[in-house]
Amino acid sequence: MNKFLLLLVISSLYFPVTAQDKNLSQLTQSLCEKYKSFFPIGAAVSPRILKSADSMLIISQYNSLVPENHMKPMWIQPKENEFKFENADYIVAFAKRHQMKMRGHTLVWHNQTPQWFFKEGDQTGSKEVLKERMKKHIQTVMSRYKDDVYAWDVVNEAISDQTGEYLRTSSPWYKILGEDYLEMAFRYAREAAPNAKLFYNDYNTCFPEKRGNIIKLIKSLQAKGIKIDGIGMQGHWKIGSPTKEQIETTIDQFAALGLTVQITELDVSVYQSDQDKQVEMTPELEQQQADYYQMCFEVFRAKKDKISGVTFWGAADNTTWLNNFPVFNRKNYPLLFDTKLQPKKAFFQVVNFNPQTAPAL
Ligand code: GLA
């Protein structure tokens, strides 16, 4: 860390963040302000990030937060009946302090969920026990945050990536409870926090087969009388993919189910494949990324009646999960602010529009 950043970190511990924030907002335009009449703009965060110099950027640019990790079952209930809320509470309190909206992520997922959920002793657990555990987890977490978290990703990534397969059959939730686990999760969630907006969240939603399977899932739940409020399109995209048409069609088809749509985990990788070698952020690459981001936000604005939120998966390029995934130690630059927290070309192309003019598409 250079001296300047270190000073910012130290000062952010000693001075009210709101005072520092004023300085930053004078330096740049505010993303969330610009989008105020469209939809909230969120960022995925951790307590560590909120205690760092990034907090100033976050307060001035985003008006919604989601914990990148700290509401996942692995963090919240690492052992049966041992709930650990400290980190999630910290993020929720920060959001409240700064009048930001708060999304919850996530309750039922095959990943980052401790194995004890699925075991009884050394054996695979029974249906009854897993059902009770799911219910208790959902009730405990959602009721704690019922006044603070307005929307939850109730189920994450239940659809298969295998051609020809509908649900992710390798998920321990599916293996033990069968297809019914989706219905259970949404029923328990609705009981626990009747006012929360309930989302199904997934990636690669713009790929026709996966999109079709998500629609099939939502319809089957609706046919059973389950009310789902929205679909989260994760938005881990790369320059050029998905295409404008794919994004438009997906938003339209999801909205046609009577649901709201949110882009829940937006970042645009500068790499096309896992094989790509480390690159520096050249002006050409920055321009390509900016043009892609511009196109995405033109679509989001044009479809603002169908979209109730856009959340970035991170705040700036200094800290992004894509620095290590899918290639360990390969630096990526997927967000609107660079590693020094400065706005990139993409930022300016996303905020450079006239909010009074009706979006034309
Ligand atoms: C998925 C999950 C997120 C997160 C990302 C990677 O998209 O929904 O919670 O784990 O992967 O950071």
Side-chain angles (χ1 to χ4, degrees):
M1 186 186 294
N2 68 30
K3 271 192 197 153
F4 177 64
L5 266 184
L6 188 63
L7 266 178
L8 278 177
V9 173
I10 294 169
S11 66
S12 70
L13 296 175
Y14 288 99
F15 298 104
V17 173
T18 42
Q20 295 170 345
D21 169 48
K22 291 208 178 99
N23 296 335
L24 191 104
S25 54
Q26 280 162 11
L27 288 179
T28 63
Q29 302 181 67
S30 165
L31 184 59
C32 62
E33 270 300 306
K34 192 75 198 245
Y35 277 86
K36 217 160 63 188
S37 59
F38 290 84
F39 31 71
I41 304 273
V45 296
S46 64
R48 190 181 63 75
I49 285 288
L50 295 180
K51 290 173 193 166
S52 77
D54 293 40
S55 62
M56 296 178 287
L57 178 82
I58 291 167
I59 299 161
S60 70
Q61 300 298 324
Y62 303 97
N63 54 7
S64 175
L65 297 182
V66 63
E68 181 168 357
N69 287 300
H70 293 100
M71 280 184 178
K72 292 173 178 170
M74 196 174 100
W75 283 90
I76 289 255
Q77 199 185 175
K79 295 200 179 121
E80 187 158 24
N81 296 323
E82 274 185 32
F83 287 89
K84 293 203 185 316
F85 290 117
E86 200 185 319
N87 287 299
D89 284 356
Y90 186 92
I91 299 172
V92 169
F94 186 99
K96 258 190 173 164
R97 212 158 55 239
H98 297 287
Q99 292 93 47
M100 296 163 137
K101 290 171 93 69
M102 185 76 209
R103 295 192 89 257
H105 174 85
T106 179
L107 296 163
V108 175
W109 189 22
H110 63 280
N111 246 330
Q112 296 190 47
T113 300
Q115 279 310 304
W116 67 257
F117 266 91
F118 312 109
K119 296 263 191 227
E120 282 173 66
D122 291 342
Q123 310 292 312
T124 303
S126 65
K127 255 188 183 180
E128 280 319 303
V129 167
L130 182 56
K131 216 173 131 175
E132 275 312 306
R133 287 172 174 167
M134 178 201 273
K135 186 174 179 179
K136 174 149 194 209
H137 183 79
I138 290 178
Q139 280 179 343
T140 310
V141 179
M142 286 186 86
S143 36
R144 183 178 186 88
Y145 297 119
K146 70 176 177 339
D147 298 326
D148 306 312
V149 171
Y150 81 101
W152 273 98
D153 293 329
V154 177
V155 179
N156 202 30
E157 305 177 350
I159 298 294
S160 175
D161 288 321
Q162 314 283 331
T163 309
E165 186 178 81
Y166 167 41
L167 293 172
R168 188 187 294 274
T169 53
S170 58
S171 160
W173 292 108
Y174 181 91
K175 279 190 180 155
I176 299 174
L177 296 173
E179 188 170 342
D180 290 349
Y181 87 87
L182 290 131
E183 177 181 346
M184 288 170 199
F186 281 99
R187 279 197 199 283
Y188 296 148
R190 186 63 71 197
E191 278 164 26
N195 298 326
K197 299 285 177 214
L198 307 185
F199 280 76
Y200 174 73
N201 190 51
D202 214 328
Y203 60 89
N204 286 351
T205 52
C206 292
F207 294 173
E209 186 176 350
K210 199 150 178 186
R211 182 207 299 146
N213 281 331
I214 292 172
I215 292 170
K216 175 173 163 185
L217 169 64
I218 302 295
K219 282 187 173 164
S220 82
L221 290 169
Q222 288 174 331
K224 291 177 190 159
I226 308 287
K227 183 174 173 287
I228 294 177
D229 298 292
I231 300 181
M233 295 170 57
Q234 285 189 5
H236 296 297
W237 296 338
K238 56 191 179 196
I239 297 171
S241 174
T243 63
K244 180 169 181 259
E245 289 66 33
Q246 286 172 322
I247 299 171
E248 289 170 335
T249 309
T250 306
I251 294 170
D252 289 344
Q253 291 190 3
F254 286 168
L257 296 163
L259 307 187
T260 185
V261 175
Q262 293 201 2
I263 314 300
T264 50
E265 304 184 17
L266 184 59
D267 45 24
V268 174
S269 171
V270 300
Y271 299 103
Q272 292 297 318
S273 89
D274 302 0
Q275 273 67 52
D276 287 1
K277 296 259 176 305
Q278 169 77 56
V279 293
E280 294 307 315
M281 198 56 174
T282 59
E284 291 74 30
L285 200 51
E286 199 173 334
Q287 187 60 56
Q288 286 169 21
Q289 188 187 43
D291 292 343
Y292 186 74
Y293 260 123
Q294 181 180 327
M295 176 280 286
C296 293
F297 276 81
E298 278 167 6
V299 172
F300 302 159
R301 292 198 299 273
K303 298 196 180 292
K304 70 170 182 177
D305 295 342
K306 298 174 179 171
I307 293 182
S308 53
V310 174
T311 300
F312 288 85
W313 207 243
D317 288 347
N318 57 344
T319 311
T320 154
W321 71 297
L322 291 174
N323 283 341
N324 286 307
F325 186 87
V327 179
F328 185 67
N329 255 341
R330 185 180 69 176
K331 178 87 196 89
N332 209 326
Y333 313 87
L335 297 161
L336 299 187
F337 299 90
D338 69 15
T339 53
K340 300 199 169 87
L341 313 183
Q342 295 306 307
K344 292 158 63 177
K345 253 196 188 122
F347 169 85
F348 292 107
Q349 289 187 215
V350 163
V351 295
N352 186 15
F353 67 95
N354 179 356
Q356 314 309 334
T357 321
L361 261 203

mmCIF file of all heavy atoms in Angstrom, residues 2 9 12 29 33-34 37 51 76 107 117 135 150 181 207-208 212 251 257 270 304 319 348 351 354:
data_model
loop_
_atom_site.group_PDB
_atom_site.id
_atom_site.type_symbol
_atom_site.label_atom_id
_atom_site.label_comp_id
_atom_site.label_asym_id
_atom_site.label_seq_id
_atom_site.Cartn_x
_atom_site.Cartn_y
_atom_site.Cartn_z
ATOM 1 N N ASN A 2 0.599 2.239 -0.874
ATOM 2 C CA ASN A 2 1.435 3.423 -0.846
ATOM 3 C C ASN A 2 1.028 4.359 0.304
ATOM 4 O O ASN A 2 0.010 4.166 0.964
ATOM 5 C CB ASN A 2 1.413 4.139 -2.201
ATOM 6 C CG ASN A 2 0.060 4.737 -2.498
ATOM 7 O OD1 ASN A 2 -0.661 5.112 -1.586
ATOM 8 N ND2 ASN A 2 -0.271 4.803 -3.779
ATOM 9 N N VAL A 9 -6.527 5.426 4.811
ATOM 10 C CA VAL A 9 -7.074 4.359 5.652
ATOM 11 C C VAL A 9 -7.077 4.813 7.099
ATOM 12 O O VAL A 9 -8.088 4.726 7.806
ATOM 13 C CB VAL A 9 -6.241 3.059 5.525
ATOM 14 C CG1 VAL A 9 -6.722 2.030 6.535
ATOM 15 C CG2 VAL A 9 -6.331 2.508 4.122
ATOM 16 N N SER A 12 -9.577 7.474 7.750
ATOM 17 C CA SER A 12 -10.965 7.017 7.741
ATOM 18 C C SER A 12 -11.343 6.367 9.073
ATOM 19 O O SER A 12 -12.510 6.263 9.420
ATOM 20 C CB SER A 12 -11.217 6.047 6.585
ATOM 21 O OG SER A 12 -10.574 4.842 6.826
ATOM 22 N N GLN A 29 -18.472 12.942 -10.434
ATOM 23 C CA GLN A 29 -19.932 12.874 -10.384
ATOM 24 C C GLN A 29 -20.307 11.642 -9.566
ATOM 25 O O GLN A 29 -19.492 10.763 -9.364
ATOM 26 C CB GLN A 29 -20.487 12.688 -11.785
ATOM 27 C CG GLN A 29 -20.113 13.758 -12.759
ATOM 28 C CD GLN A 29 -20.751 13.452 -14.104
ATOM 29 O OE1 GLN A 29 -21.955 13.487 -14.253
ATOM 30 N NE2 GLN A 29 -19.916 13.138 -15.071
ATOM 31 N N GLU A 33 -26.362 9.046 -7.820
ATOM 32 C CA GLU A 33 -27.156 10.275 -7.974
ATOM 33 C C GLU A 33 -27.685 10.361 -9.396
ATOM 34 O O GLU A 33 -28.825 10.678 -9.660
ATOM 35 C CB GLU A 33 -26.269 11.499 -7.720
ATOM 36 C CG GLU A 33 -26.247 11.954 -6.281
ATOM 37 C CD GLU A 33 -27.633 12.329 -5.788
ATOM 38 O OE1 GLU A 33 -28.284 13.158 -6.437
ATOM 39 O OE2 GLU A 33 -28.065 11.779 -4.761
ATOM 40 N N LYS A 34 -26.793 10.072 -10.333
ATOM 41 C CA LYS A 34 -27.151 10.166 -11.738
ATOM 42 C C LYS A 34 -28.287 9.193 -12.082
ATOM 43 O O LYS A 34 -29.119 9.458 -12.936
ATOM 44 C CB LYS A 34 -25.904 9.891 -12.593
ATOM 45 C CG LYS A 34 -26.063 10.221 -14.049
ATOM 46 C CD LYS A 34 -26.038 11.724 -14.321
ATOM 47 C CE LYS A 34 -26.605 12.073 -15.670
ATOM 48 N NZ LYS A 34 -25.674 12.633 -16.607
ATOM 49 N N SER A 37 -33.327 8.471 -10.640
ATOM 50 C CA SER A 37 -34.690 8.275 -11.145
ATOM 51 C C SER A 37 -34.823 6.972 -11.947
ATOM 52 O O SER A 37 -35.872 6.720 -12.538
ATOM 53 C CB SER A 37 -35.089 9.466 -12.006
ATOM 54 O OG SER A 37 -34.173 9.580 -13.074
ATOM 55 N N LYS A 51 -14.118 -0.435 6.134
ATOM 56 C CA LYS A 51 -13.226 0.249 7.085
ATOM 57 C C LYS A 51 -12.012 0.833 6.371
ATOM 58 O O LYS A 51 -11.126 1.384 6.999
ATOM 59 C CB LYS A 51 -12.755 -0.744 8.153
ATOM 60 C CG LYS A 51 -13.855 -1.158 9.108
ATOM 61 C CD LYS A 51 -13.388 -2.258 10.043
ATOM 62 C CE LYS A 51 -14.576 -2.864 10.759
ATOM 63 N NZ LYS A 51 -14.261 -4.132 11.426
ATOM 64 N N ILE A 76 -22.601 -17.190 8.373
ATOM 65 C CA ILE A 76 -23.656 -16.882 9.347
ATOM 66 C C ILE A 76 -23.909 -18.031 10.330
ATOM 67 O O ILE A 76 -24.192 -17.811 11.492
ATOM 68 C CB ILE A 76 -24.973 -16.530 8.596
ATOM 69 C CG1 ILE A 76 -24.838 -15.174 7.911
ATOM 70 C CG2 ILE A 76 -26.169 -16.593 9.487
ATOM 71 C CD1 ILE A 76 -25.565 -14.035 8.576
ATOM 72 N N LEU A 107 -29.458 -17.397 0.913
ATOM 73 C CA LEU A 107 -29.939 -18.319 1.945
ATOM 74 C C LEU A 107 -29.729 -19.791 1.584
ATOM 75 O O LEU A 107 -29.261 -20.565 2.401
ATOM 76 C CB LEU A 107 -31.425 -18.036 2.201
ATOM 77 C CG LEU A 107 -31.688 -16.622 2.771
ATOM 78 C CD1 LEU A 107 -33.146 -16.228 2.619
ATOM 79 C CD2 LEU A 107 -31.246 -16.527 4.226
ATOM 80 N N PHE A 117 -24.886 -29.063 7.415
ATOM 81 C CA PHE A 117 -26.288 -28.970 6.993
ATOM 82 C C PHE A 117 -26.774 -30.327 6.448
ATOM 83 O O PHE A 117 -27.907 -30.708 6.654
ATOM 84 C CB PHE A 117 -26.433 -27.948 5.849
ATOM 85 C CG PHE A 117 -26.799 -26.553 6.281
ATOM 86 C CD1 PHE A 117 -25.809 -25.612 6.554
ATOM 87 C CD2 PHE A 117 -28.127 -26.159 6.382
ATOM 88 C CE1 PHE A 117 -26.138 -24.307 6.924
ATOM 89 C CE2 PHE A 117 -28.476 -24.857 6.758
ATOM 90 C CZ PHE A 117 -27.474 -23.927 7.034
ATOM 91 N N LYS A 135 -35.326 -24.454 7.368
ATOM 92 C CA LYS A 135 -36.356 -23.583 7.930
ATOM 93 C C LYS A 135 -35.755 -22.712 9.031
ATOM 94 O O LYS A 135 -35.940 -21.489 9.047
ATOM 95 C CB LYS A 135 -37.482 -24.450 8.489
ATOM 96 C CG LYS A 135 -38.660 -23.678 8.968
ATOM 97 C CD LYS A 135 -39.764 -24.663 9.351
ATOM 98 C CE LYS A 135 -40.980 -23.930 9.857
ATOM 99 N NZ LYS A 135 -42.044 -24.869 10.192
ATOM 100 N N TYR A 150 -34.191 -5.321 2.298
ATOM 101 C CA TYR A 150 -35.470 -5.221 1.572
ATOM 102 C C TYR A 150 -35.644 -6.332 0.537
ATOM 103 O O TYR A 150 -36.748 -6.591 0.078
ATOM 104 C CB TYR A 150 -35.605 -3.853 0.884
ATOM 105 C CG TYR A 150 -34.862 -3.740 -0.437
ATOM 106 C CD1 TYR A 150 -35.529 -3.854 -1.661
ATOM 107 C CD2 TYR A 150 -33.484 -3.557 -0.469
ATOM 108 C CE1 TYR A 150 -34.859 -3.782 -2.863
ATOM 109 C CE2 TYR A 150 -32.790 -3.472 -1.672
ATOM 110 C CZ TYR A 150 -33.486 -3.587 -2.871
ATOM 111 O OH TYR A 150 -32.810 -3.527 -4.064
ATOM 112 N N TYR A 181 -37.067 -28.665 -2.802
ATOM 113 C CA TYR A 181 -36.339 -27.750 -1.918
ATOM 114 C C TYR A 181 -36.537 -26.290 -2.320
ATOM 115 O O TYR A 181 -36.518 -25.390 -1.469
ATOM 116 C CB TYR A 181 -34.852 -28.125 -1.847
ATOM 117 C CG TYR A 181 -33.920 -27.556 -2.881
ATOM 118 C CD1 TYR A 181 -33.309 -26.307 -2.704
ATOM 119 C CD2 TYR A 181 -33.604 -28.274 -4.038
ATOM 120 C CE1 TYR A 181 -32.422 -25.794 -3.648
ATOM 121 C CE2 TYR A 181 -32.726 -27.783 -4.980
ATOM 122 C CZ TYR A 181 -32.144 -26.541 -4.784
ATOM 123 O OH TYR A 181 -31.272 -26.035 -5.721
ATOM 124 N N PHE A 207 -27.855 -17.067 -21.505
ATOM 125 C CA PHE A 207 -27.702 -18.194 -22.424
ATOM 126 C C PHE A 207 -29.060 -18.862 -22.584
ATOM 127 O O PHE A 207 -29.705 -19.210 -21.580
ATOM 128 C CB PHE A 207 -26.676 -19.202 -21.899
ATOM 129 C CG PHE A 207 -25.262 -18.653 -21.847
ATOM 130 C CD1 PHE A 207 -24.236 -19.386 -21.254
ATOM 131 C CD2 PHE A 207 -24.946 -17.413 -22.397
ATOM 132 C CE1 PHE A 207 -22.938 -18.875 -21.206
ATOM 133 C CE2 PHE A 207 -23.663 -16.902 -22.354
ATOM 134 C CZ PHE A 207 -22.657 -17.637 -21.750
ATOM 135 N N PRO A 208 -29.491 -19.052 -23.848
ATOM 136 C CA PRO A 208 -30.879 -19.495 -24.068
ATOM 137 C C PRO A 208 -31.296 -20.728 -23.262
ATOM 138 O O PRO A 208 -32.381 -20.749 -22.695
ATOM 139 C CB PRO A 208 -30.929 -19.767 -25.571
ATOM 140 C CG PRO A 208 -29.867 -18.870 -26.136
ATOM 141 C CD PRO A 208 -28.790 -18.763 -25.085
ATOM 142 N N GLY A 212 -34.088 -20.477 -20.418
ATOM 143 C CA GLY A 212 -35.310 -21.271 -20.577
ATOM 144 C C GLY A 212 -35.595 -22.102 -19.332
ATOM 145 O O GLY A 212 -36.740 -22.220 -18.881
ATOM 146 N N ILE A 251 -34.086 -9.830 -20.112
ATOM 147 C CA ILE A 251 -34.854 -8.932 -19.229
ATOM 148 C C ILE A 251 -36.344 -9.004 -19.599
ATOM 149 O O ILE A 251 -37.206 -9.147 -18.741
ATOM 150 C CB ILE A 251 -34.323 -7.484 -19.327
ATOM 151 C CG1 ILE A 251 -32.891 -7.414 -18.768
ATOM 152 C CG2 ILE A 251 -35.239 -6.510 -18.575
ATOM 153 C CD1 ILE A 251 -32.164 -6.096 -19.032
ATOM 154 N N LEU A 257 -42.828 -12.753 -16.876
ATOM 155 C CA LEU A 257 -43.360 -13.681 -15.865
ATOM 156 C C LEU A 257 -44.065 -12.923 -14.742
ATOM 157 O O LEU A 257 -44.546 -13.512 -13.780
ATOM 158 C CB LEU A 257 -42.211 -14.502 -15.256
ATOM 159 C CG LEU A 257 -41.452 -15.435 -16.197
ATOM 160 C CD1 LEU A 257 -40.120 -15.849 -15.584
ATOM 161 C CD2 LEU A 257 -42.301 -16.663 -16.513
ATOM 162 N N VAL A 270 -12.004 -8.343 -18.421
ATOM 163 C CA VAL A 270 -11.290 -7.948 -19.637
ATOM 164 C C VAL A 270 -10.716 -9.172 -20.359
ATOM 165 O O VAL A 270 -10.092 -9.030 -21.402
ATOM 166 C CB VAL A 270 -10.156 -6.927 -19.347
ATOM 167 C CG1 VAL A 270 -10.733 -5.669 -18.712
ATOM 168 C CG2 VAL A 270 -9.055 -7.520 -18.477
ATOM 169 N N LYS A 304 -35.962 0.511 -17.677
ATOM 170 C CA LYS A 304 -35.992 0.818 -16.236
ATOM 171 C C LYS A 304 -37.292 0.392 -15.562
ATOM 172 O O LYS A 304 -37.303 0.118 -14.374
ATOM 173 C CB LYS A 304 -35.716 2.305 -15.991
ATOM 174 C CG LYS A 304 -36.820 3.224 -16.424
ATOM 175 C CD LYS A 304 -36.581 4.637 -15.930
ATOM 176 C CE LYS A 304 -37.745 5.515 -16.359
ATOM 177 N NZ LYS A 304 -37.677 6.852 -15.892
ATOM 178 N N THR A 319 -10.040 -4.302 -5.383
ATOM 179 C CA THR A 319 -10.470 -5.533 -4.718
ATOM 180 C C THR A 319 -11.590 -6.160 -5.520
ATOM 181 O O THR A 319 -12.710 -5.656 -5.504
ATOM 182 C CB THR A 319 -11.007 -5.219 -3.294
ATOM 183 O OG1 THR A 319 -10.058 -4.399 -2.632
ATOM 184 C CG2 THR A 319 -11.221 -6.478 -2.496
ATOM 185 N N PHE A 348 -17.352 7.212 -17.003
ATOM 186 C CA PHE A 348 -17.862 8.409 -17.670
ATOM 187 C C PHE A 348 -18.884 8.040 -18.750
ATOM 188 O O PHE A 348 -19.875 8.740 -18.935
ATOM 189 C CB PHE A 348 -16.702 9.236 -18.241
ATOM 190 C CG PHE A 348 -15.872 9.836 -17.126
ATOM 191 C CD1 PHE A 348 -14.614 9.342 -16.821
ATOM 192 C CD2 PHE A 348 -16.382 10.862 -16.337
ATOM 193 C CE1 PHE A 348 -13.875 9.868 -15.767
ATOM 194 C CE2 PHE A 348 -15.652 11.397 -15.277
ATOM 195 C CZ PHE A 348 -14.387 10.895 -14.994
ATOM 196 N N VAL A 351 -22.213 7.386 -16.954
ATOM 197 C CA VAL A 351 -22.948 8.537 -16.389
ATOM 198 C C VAL A 351 -23.221 9.646 -17.414
ATOM 199 O O VAL A 351 -23.964 10.571 -17.127
ATOM 200 C CB VAL A 351 -22.229 9.184 -15.171
ATOM 201 C CG1 VAL A 351 -22.165 8.199 -14.007
ATOM 202 C CG2 VAL A 351 -20.846 9.692 -15.527
ATOM 203 N N ASN A 354 -28.310 12.167 -20.711
ATOM 204 C CA ASN A 354 -29.239 13.165 -20.210
ATOM 205 C C ASN A 354 -30.461 12.474 -19.605
ATOM 206 O O ASN A 354 -31.261 11.886 -20.321
ATOM 207 C CB ASN A 354 -29.658 14.083 -21.368
ATOM 208 C CG ASN A 354 -30.645 15.123 -20.910
ATOM 209 O OD1 ASN A 354 -31.083 15.116 -19.751
ATOM 210 N ND2 ASN A 354 -30.997 16.019 -21.812
#
